Amino acid sequence: MIAGTDRPHIKKVKRALVLSGGAARGAFQVGVLLYLEECGWRPDLICGSSIGAIHAAAVGAGLSADSLARLWRSARQQRIRTFEFAPMMHRLFSPREPFSISGIESIRRTLLEQIDFSRLAGSQTAVAIAAVDLATAKTVYFTNEEITVDHVLASAAAPVFFPWRTVDGRRYFDGGLMANTPILPALARSAEQIAVVLLSPVSARALPPPFSFFKIIETAFEMMLAGPFQAALDAHKAAGGQLPGIHIIAPPRMLGLLSLADYSRRQVDRLIGEGYEAARQVMEG
């Protein structure tokens, strides 16, 4: 486990891929992965939070972008099975279980079916996924050799939507709470080239000022998610580090807060297409 960023002895990498959290918006990352796979851009290190952690573990274990696209196109059915009213009400009044709207067993089974964790442990592609330790409120990073399905679920344990996870006696929340775009391991390993996949245009381009109530709330929410990413870059520079070449790949538009929970085939197809095109423009530009 990497706690924080102090790891002077770790091996440097040439290319790193950083995958943000963003729930159903993660379909955008699949489009990016399809393009990167097609053009032969292979990362030595993949960092991820939340849905980005799921993708990082899957790719690190050898799952193809095409396979991920097929899974996403059936995600609506998978998502529905995570919500059951009776178990939710039981959790609401239980003093022993963390409350969550959704259960995780369906997702856990899918991850075990699709990700070969033994292959991930021995993969030549380094993987680092973020989670937040509930006791210390600090971000920790789990790496290939230790990552199990429970570490991945811990990184994706969005409060209220999914229960926090206990791993090796410690409780964890979603990594996106503190490091939604977990670039620190890539900077710590002195990556020469980093592709950062955001799930919002905030931080990627200038945006028009918001005026309506909902646009102001949305913009503020996206800025809070982007804050730790910007802070990591600023801290790295303040410590005398040189920023490598960073390619930021992001949606061309604000996606709206409801997009976080929209697993419909329509949104999935649209985001996969936008991710592919955004990656093509950035990497070829």
Side-chain angles (χ1 to χ4, degrees), residues 1-281:
M1 180 190 299
I2 304 173
T5 59
D6 263 347
R7 227 73 197 260
H9 61 284
I10 58 180
K11 182 181 178 182
K12 293 183 178 181
V13 300
K14 183 175 181 180
R15 289 176 171 174
L17 177 64
V18 179
L19 302 175
S20 298
R25 295 178 184 176
F28 180 87
Q29 292 175 354
V30 177
V32 174
L33 292 169
L34 284 166
Y35 176 78
L36 296 180
E37 194 174 280
E38 181 181 293
C39 74
W41 196 93
R42 294 182 176 83
D44 306 300
L45 166 68
I46 310 175
C47 313
S49 281
S50 201
I51 188 61
I54 292 175
H55 288 156
V59 174
L63 202 66
S64 70
D66 277 333
S67 295
L68 283 173
R70 286 193 295 272
L71 281 172
W72 270 93
R73 289 184 170 117
S74 64
R76 182 70 178 177
Q77 290 74 29
Q78 294 291 335
R79 175 67 179 173
I80 288 172
R81 288 201 293 273
T82 68
F83 174 78
E84 293 178 353
F85 184 75
M88 183 192 75
M89 294 306 294
H90 171 75
R91 291 189 293 268
L92 179 62
F93 296 104
S94 172
R96 299 178 181 276
E97 296 182 46
F99 173 78
S100 63
I101 294 172
S102 299
I104 54 107
E105 286 311 309
S106 176
I107 295 174
R108 193 175 195 276
R109 285 195 300 271
T110 299
L111 293 178
L112 287 172
E113 289 168 1
Q114 299 297 328
I115 300 176
D116 184 340
F117 286 95
S118 62
R119 184 174 179 182
L120 174 63
S123 176
Q124 293 299 306
T125 302
V127 172
I129 62 175
V132 176
D133 188 312
L134 264 68
T136 63
K138 292 183 179 179
T139 303
V140 296
Y141 293 91
F142 303 112
T143 55
N144 297 59
E145 299 81 2
E146 62 195 329
I147 293 174
T148 66
V149 66
D150 290 313
H151 293 90
V152 176
L153 289 169
S155 182
V160 177
F161 293 99
F162 296 104
W164 45 256
R165 300 296 294 165
T166 300
V167 184
D168 297 329
R170 301 197 68 83
R171 299 179 179 91
Y172 296 97
F173 259 159
D174 193 304
L177 292 175
M178 305 286 281
N180 197 53
T181 305
I183 196 171
L184 284 179
L187 296 175
R189 297 191 185 196
S190 302
E192 298 174 17
Q193 187 180 22
I194 304 176
V196 176
V197 186
L198 304 178
L199 296 179
S200 164
V202 171
S203 293
R205 57 182 58 85
L207 299 171
F211 289 99
S212 73
F213 172 80
F214 291 107
K215 282 295 183 183
I216 290 171
I217 294 296
E218 178 188 9
T219 302
F221 172 77
E222 303 289 4
M223 286 181 171
M224 285 190 289
L225 290 181
F229 170 56
Q230 294 298 326
L233 296 180
D234 292 342
H236 185 74
K237 289 188 289 185
Q242 295 293 315
L243 289 180
I246 298 179
H247 302 289
I248 296 182
I249 304 168
R253 58 192 172 87
M254 294 290 273
L255 299 176
L257 294 178
L258 293 180
S259 67
L260 293 165
D262 183 359
Y263 291 84
S264 68
R265 179 64 180 268
R266 180 180 180 183
Q267 169 161 286
V268 167
D269 285 340
R270 182 175 185 180
L271 289 180
I272 289 176
E274 289 182 351
Y276 181 95
E277 181 59 23
R280 187 190 67 77
Q281 291 180 10

